[in-house]
Amino acid sequence: MTYDMSQGMPAYSARQATSQLSAALPELDIDDIPQSYGLPVITFDHVTKIYPAQPNKPALDDISLEIFAGEFVFLIGHSGSGKSTFIRMLIREIKPTSGTIKVADEDLTTMRNWRVPYLRRNIGCVFQDFKLLPNKTVFENVAFALEVIGKSRHVIKTQVPEVLRLVGLQDKLNKRPDQLSGGEQQRVSIARAIVNRPPLLICDEPTGNLDPQTSRGIMDLLERINRTGTTVLVATHDREMVDNMRRRVIALDRGVLTQDRERGVYRVNG
Amino acid sequence: MTYDMSQGMPAYSARQATSQLSAALPELDIDDIPQSYGLPVITFDHVTKIYPAQPNKPALDDISLEIFAGEFVFLIGHSGSGKSTFIRMLIREIKPTSGTIKVADEDLTTMRNWRVPYLRRNIGCVFQDFKLLPNKTVFENVAFALEVIGKSRHVIKTQVPEVLRLVGLQDKLNKRPDQLSGGEQQRVSIARAIVNRPPLLICDEPTGNLDPQTSRGIMDLLERINRTGTTVLVATHDREMVDNMRRRVIALDRGVLTQDRERGVYRVNG
Amino acid sequence: MASFFYFLRESFTGFSRNLSTALGSIITIFLSLLIIGIFMIGGYVVDNVASSLESEVSITAFVSDDASEADIDTVESYIRGLEGVQSVSFTTKDQALENFRQTSNSDIIDTLDGQNPLPASIDVELSDPQMVEQVASQIESNTTFQQICDEPDNPAESLKYGQQTVERLFTLTNYVRYISMALVALLIFIALVFINNTIRLAILARRKEIAIMRLVGASNGFIRGPFLMEGALHAVIGAALAVGVLELLRYLVLPKLQTALMFLNFDIGPTAFLFIYVMLAVSGLIIGLIGSAFAMRRYLKV
Amino acid sequence: MASFFYFLRESFTGFSRNLSTALGSIITIFLSLLIIGIFMIGGYVVDNVASSLESEVSITAFVSDDASEADIDTVESYIRGLEGVQSVSFTTKDQALENFRQTSNSDIIDTLDGQNPLPASIDVELSDPQMVEQVASQIESNTTFQQICDEPDNPAESLKYGQQTVERLFTLTNYVRYISMALVALLIFIALVFINNTIRLAILARRKEIAIMRLVGASNGFIRGPFLMEGALHAVIGAALAVGVLELLRYLVLPKLQTALMFLNFDIGPTAFLFIYVMLAVSGLIIGLIGSAFAMRRYLKV
Ligand SMILES: Nc1ncnc2c1ncn2[C@@H]1O[C@H](COP(=O)(O)OP(=O)(O)OP(=O)(O)O)[C@@H](O)[C@H]1O
Ligand SMILES: Nc1ncnc2c1ncn2[C@@H]1O[C@H](COP(=O)(O)OP(=O)(O)OP(=O)(O)O)[C@@H](O)[C@H]1O
Ligand SMILES: [Mg+2]
Ligand SMILES: [Mg+2]
């Protein structure tokens, strides 16, 4: 294959990238491959979400589950089955209609408004629609996640280019989002989510706009990040990826939890 | 499989949907399966596009090709290889830096500005980022494409619900885009593109946010639309789909045409 | 025509959807028109005062004590026939003394011991104050007047019309007019800028919407329609509000001001008000339409 | 402090990126402050006129022709010692006649045949025009004055200070003040509404940006910072422009107006101008900051 890595996917050897990231990632040893019986990072307890605009069809219906520290979980389901709703509740963009959600022992349903930014700084989130700041360059978009938590300009100047190189955007630093292709925007969103090394990483459809090769590169990256102890939750439609990686799979169907199994495959109905 | 069609994918039998659409689609007989040696609908003649913001790396580099009436063509390539640029030039959102582009014998490079809307009304386009009007409901977004070409309210009232049923959104008529899931928004964009039965249909990543089952439904729909004589161009990363359908595949790599073959598979490098 | 109704419907739904933007531009138009309206009313008041000052310009022709009544009648009817004269009246010596007593608060009258040094006079009111000099010279050249005037040696001395005062008055009222016109013009300009800014920002907030419409194949006219309609709708509502408030001012505040400030004349006719209101509505509409059209131009380059 | 510089940097880049929005709000602030400034200067002029009218309030105490100089001196020095009196001067009979001749344009003087019926008088200028009645009654009760006054039977008759005129003058100047204050208040209110509208629209145009910042974990303060900074920057630039234009007006237009309108007093001290400018800058800043903060509130509900 004559494909030049530096274009489609970041030019890193797995070894090199891992050591770079590991310097940045949470305090778990790299070799310490996490077990599912760690502490629960995410707890859903009979959670139901009914959007006011759609009162008689719950977007999520009585969901109870636990996700443990260090897990790598796929969230699958048909279009409109509630995956993004699940994720939006985790970062408290919305509140559940009933039930309780806990993230790292904090109850999101009773959390005070002013604490929400601190919650979000501990959750890296790749949004399905990217949510890049249109008036900032790629560099500034990623740097923003660091500025928000008060990192010094020196730290920003070194970490941002590094993480952009990891997602293969080293030569797009000064472009604005509307000067990027769809897949490049998606990778900026991924870079922003991982740049401040959050203990919890949530990705909503992180490879929907990426070709298979770049997707595989991103997935490898997520897996390596997971291996450093970060809990990773990925909502996806990519059957190939789910089937190949064989991790825990949670399936939703019209808001109902239909499947939750270790080493699962892409199949929505139990 | 217990999956209810009316949720994930439109509740139509292939027969029924075909007859509904055929009443609406261009004047080719359904049985008249088009041959690639029809008239050229799209002609690229040594087209190069260099974005001012990125002057030393052409987004498209000396592309020459022809797409004929009635063809079904996949456009593949890595993230950032120029697929969306290709499409944006077809609807004259941007002009090529050099070379000429013809759509149905009209030269887009010399086309007068006031004629552009008429060009666009003859091209159904599914945008990678959906481009839905945020202040209009699903119904209104789709209806807008008909209002623009001056269709009567009666026609709108019958055709819009029909096409929304085809993409499985019959119960979301009155939602606004921000009340929809990513995949639902994508399907609204598809509905808008096909509702006025354009002779040329261009889809940029139409299934990036859709689960495999819904994707297959959409692809079946596109195929049936193609069978009525509509020329269809689909930019995609969905390897499974390309490999299964075995249609003409055009591959781009960093702006260069690397492959153009009948009955191709997903492979970027010739 | 069908698309007119489409535009109308669109502008109404756009209205309810972008309520806060809509309110913003309506309030801006309303306040702008209100200021303009208040200043137009103020302009009328100033004009009233100026013309009442001007109308006080009159000519007094002093008549000698021994002029015969016939001669006086001749002169009076001669003056009445002159161009620019509105009315002519006669003031006897006694009336003159009485007037003086009333207008002057000096004690000089008391010292006269029954004498009356004041002459009788013919008082000429002018219909056109600017013609005062011409009328005066015509009176002066009248032979009968030259005989009966108070100072026959120099008839001009018997004519009083305060040349200086008249001239000063004209410069004053003209200045007041110019200044208030400049102020109104400035305010209208400022209102225009405000409204244009508001509309520009409102459209800026919807530039993405406009771009999408264009990508879907809407022609510029089709896109412009609802926005123009919306601008016009805002203008009409804003103008209606301004007219309403001005009517309130007219019936509630003006009468109070009038009793308080007797020396100003707030008596503005209903046609003047009608004129002001029509002006406001029309200019609001023009501003709204042109502002929208102008603000949209740069988003409609295809 | 580090984030202060972050905010500053952000507001500058925000500035250059959203140039047309920025220009819009700057122009709005500039024009609003300019109107307010012009009306504040106008207020000073009105005040000048009012107080010069008020300062013309004086008391004239008529003295009989046969009063001795010693008595007059006694009364003068008595009056000089009264509270509220600014200066005292003496007008002889001849001067009185001359003054009368100049101020009155009636021919009555010519008829006096060398007589001088006018009395001499002591003229009292007041430092506080509102004390006119009090000073007058004190003069009236002075025994020396009662002897030398023009009408010894009724000393009050020898004192002229135009009670009615004074009262009318006060109501007039007060009314003018109230009306101009009301007008200035209205204009300030309108300017506030305009600025708030502008800022609201500008932030509305960026509501998506704000929402994204919040989703990425920025605290409200962190988001508000650059926007407030930007609002303040616009306010400062707008205020500077307004001050510049007012300075131009002050040095180019005011002198011309002064020569044209002699009867108005445009003589406003530099401290008054300084006060106006500081007021403009401060109010612009407050408006910009509070406007931004207020406009942002609804987008910062978490
Ligand atoms: N703000 C909202 N108001 C009303 N309904 C909503 C809103 N947001 C989402 N929904 C509805 O809730 C359901 C779940 O939406 P969600 O975005 O969670 O789906 P999803 O699993 O992410 O789908 P996709 O894979 O297409 O992104 C959908 O039917 C959607 O229409
Ligand atoms: N407005 C722009 N200004 C400068 N460069 C641009 C602009 N738009 C796109 N580009 C660049 O041109 C290249 C091609 O972009 P394009 O959007 O065509 O890619 P694509 O094939 O659609 O990718 P994807 O699959 O990720 O959507 C990319 O490198 C992109 O960064
Ligand atoms: Mg989703
Ligand atoms: Mg693309």
Side-chain angles (χ1 to χ4, degrees), chain D residues 20 87 111 166:
Chain D
S20 78
S87 67
T111 66
V166 169

Side-chain angles (χ1 to χ4, degrees), chain B residues 91-93 113 116-117 120-121 127 131-137 140 144-145 147-148 153 176 192, chain C residues 6 9-10 13 17-18 206 208-210 212-220 222-223 301-302:
Chain B
I91 56 169
R92 240 216 49 177
E93 193 183 341
N113 276 352
V116 172
R120 290 178 182 160
R121 291 177 199 177
F127 299 94
K131 294 207 191 295
L132 302 178
L133 293 164
N135 286 326
K136 289 182 186 285
T137 64
E140 289 167 337
F144 190 72
E147 275 162 358
V148 153
R153 299 189 61 177
R176 274 186 290 113
R192 182 180 61 186
Chain C
Y6 164 79
R9 185 161 49 82
E10 279 298 299
T13 55
R17 286 226 186 86
N18 306 296
R206 294 164 77 177
K208 228 175 144 184
E209 212 177 319
I210 295 178
I212 292 173
M213 288 182 174
R214 279 176 37 215
L215 284 180
V216 176
S219 64
N220 287 351
F222 193 83
I223 296 172
K301 292 255 173 70
V302 167

Side-chain angles (χ1 to χ4, degrees), chain A residues 9 16 114 120 128 204-205 210 243 254 259 263:
Chain A
M9 242 323 278
Q16 183 196 349
W114 64 267
R120 290 179 182 161
Q128 194 170 10
D204 196 353
E205 203 69 55
L210 298 177
D243 289 355
R254 272 163 290 169
Q259 178 197 323
R263 311 196 163 275

Side-chain angles (χ1 to χ4, degrees), chain A residues 49-55 57-60 75-88 94 128 204-205 235-237 252 254-255, chain B residues 7 169 172 175-187 209-211:
Chain A
K49 174 68 193 178
I50 300 172
Y51 286 108
Q54 190 174 272
K57 191 174 146 280
L60 282 183
L75 184 64
I76 64 169
H78 293 298
S79 170
S81 58
K83 301 181 296 297
S84 297
T85 303
F86 187 99
I87 286 171
R88 290 170 68 199
I94 52 179
Q128 194 170 10
D204 196 353
E205 203 69 55
T236 187
H237 295 125
L252 294 173
R254 272 163 290 169
Chain B
Q7 143 83 5
L169 292 177
K172 305 276 177 189
K175 299 278 178 298
R176 274 186 290 113
D178 63 353
Q179 297 173 337
L180 296 179
S181 80
E184 287 162 351
Q185 290 179 40
Q186 192 154 41
R187 283 180 278 161
N209 287 275
L210 298 178
D211 54 289

